[in-house]
Amino acid sequence: MATLARFRWIVAATVLGSLVGFLGSYLFNPKYSSHARIEESSDSGDHWGALITPDSQTEFESFQQRALSPNNLRPVIEREGVAKSEEAERVYGEIVNNARFQLASSDNAASYTAIDIDLIYTDSNPRRAEQLCNVLTSGVLDESKADSQRTISDTTYILEQALEDAKNDVQDIHRRLLKRPSDRKLAREYAKAQEAYADLAAKRKETAEIVIGGTYRLPQRVRVLLPCDIPTTPDFPNRLLCAALGSATGLLVGIALSGARRNSLDQVAEPQR
């Protein structure tokens, strides 16, 4: 009977501890994380390089800074109707504090032609976590488009300068060739200059076709692989872990109480001398 009683003490303390641990987890403010995954492709032709290179942490950090910049995110916050103008600054601060980026595993990516990036936003409300995760995703897409536009503008300017120099070179050699039409070396130089000019003109035309009336038809460098989800279970606290810890604590307490009760009963049962 005494053994059965001690066993009941241990079981009761374990069950009670598990229940206290589980219910106690509700005293903490929960944290829910909404996840999205995007793919950044470097297969964009010769006009611009990759937004992120897998072997450059600096480039990845620079990408995060641009994506989270106020000039990039504030217009998205207002556009998505998340907050009014006077509240945009507060919401922007929440996103910066609660958002994070991480590179997904790309060990098997062939030649690193594409990089997968996880966007994660954490909030105490699961639906708000999903809502602001969408804002973050839109901000990344907007920044990618703006970055491509800047690169196209820079490329256009460089090509125009190079094309002007090549044109002057062709005209200069042509003038000299008119004075020395039998100079074969100069004729070959003139042919090469014309070829270089034609190559630059073709590249300039190709770039100009991307820009139509001030709008850009850009390759899709960044695309959403997995949209933001609505989390169903909190990241913190881990309720099952809290229940397990409570159960373990209850077990230890139950063993201790059972041992103490046994000692007490032994002392009572010990005959007086």
Side-chain angles (χ1 to χ4, degrees):
M1 293 296 294
T3 302
L4 181 60
R6 288 196 298 272
F7 178 74
R8 288 175 176 173
W9 272 90
I10 294 173
V11 171
T14 302
V15 173
L16 182 60
S18 177
L19 184 62
V20 169
F22 182 78
L23 295 178
S25 66
Y26 285 91
L27 298 176
F28 298 95
N29 290 326
K31 297 294 183 182
Y32 296 87
S33 291
S34 178
H35 298 73
R37 175 167 291 186
I38 63 172
E39 179 188 69
E40 189 277 325
S41 176
S42 61
D43 187 17
S44 309
D46 295 331
H47 296 303
W48 48 80
L51 182 66
I52 301 173
T53 55
D55 58 345
S56 175
Q57 184 64 28
T58 302
E59 287 293 328
F60 182 55
E61 292 173 357
S62 175
F63 159 74
Q64 295 180 71
Q65 291 174 359
R66 295 197 307 272
L68 293 174
S69 68
N71 291 336
N72 180 52
L73 273 185
R74 282 175 186 161
V76 181
I77 292 172
E78 296 185 26
R79 185 183 71 210
E80 297 292 329
V82 176
K84 298 180 181 178
S85 299
E86 60 273 15
E87 298 177 341
E89 181 65 26
R90 176 182 59 79
V91 175
Y92 168 73
E94 290 181 14
I95 294 177
V96 171
N97 291 330
N98 298 321
R100 68 182 189 274
F101 300 81
Q102 63 185 33
L103 287 172
S105 176
S106 57
D107 294 339
N108 298 322
S111 303
Y112 295 109
T113 55
I115 309 275
D116 290 346
I117 307 166
D118 289 328
L119 311 182
I120 305 168
Y121 186 82
T122 304
D123 196 272
S124 58
N125 183 291
R127 289 197 172 276
R128 184 167 175 78
E130 184 258 350
Q131 182 184 38
L132 295 185
C133 177
N134 283 326
V135 170
L136 184 63
T137 304
S138 297
V140 168
L141 296 177
D142 285 359
E143 168 54 29
S144 174
K145 181 179 179 181
D147 186 62
S148 294
Q149 290 174 345
R150 289 190 295 268
T151 307
I152 280 289
S153 298
D154 293 343
T155 302
T156 300
Y157 175 78
I158 292 172
L159 283 175
E160 287 177 347
Q161 295 298 311
L163 190 62
E164 184 65 25
D165 291 341
K167 179 180 178 182
N168 293 334
D169 192 31
V170 169
Q171 292 176 343
D172 178 63
I173 298 175
H174 183 259
R175 283 192 296 267
R176 286 187 286 146
L177 189 60
L178 289 176
K179 297 178 181 179
R180 293 180 291 169
S182 60
D183 191 332
R184 294 184 179 180
K185 181 179 179 181
L186 192 59
R188 288 194 296 270
E189 186 178 346
Y190 180 62
K192 290 181 179 180
Q194 285 183 311
E195 184 180 349
Y197 177 79
D199 184 58
L200 285 171
K203 289 183 178 180
R204 177 64 184 89
K205 181 181 179 181
E206 182 182 355
T207 305
E209 288 176 351
I210 297 177
V211 184
I212 302 176
T215 61
Y216 294 80
R217 296 185 306 177
L218 299 170
Q220 193 174 11
R221 296 179 56 192
V222 175
R223 65 190 183 98
V224 178
L225 296 179
L226 296 174
C228 298
D229 60 342
I230 299 179
T232 56
T233 57
D235 299 331
F236 175 86
N238 187 322
R239 306 203 191 283
L240 292 179
L241 179 60
C242 289
L245 291 175
S247 178
T249 302
L251 175 62
L252 294 176
V253 171
I255 292 173
L257 290 176
S258 176
R261 185 171 182 274
R262 178 180 180 182
N263 292 335
S264 177
L265 292 175
D266 290 342
Q267 291 176 2
V268 172
E270 183 177 348
Q272 298 292 330
R273 294 183 180 179

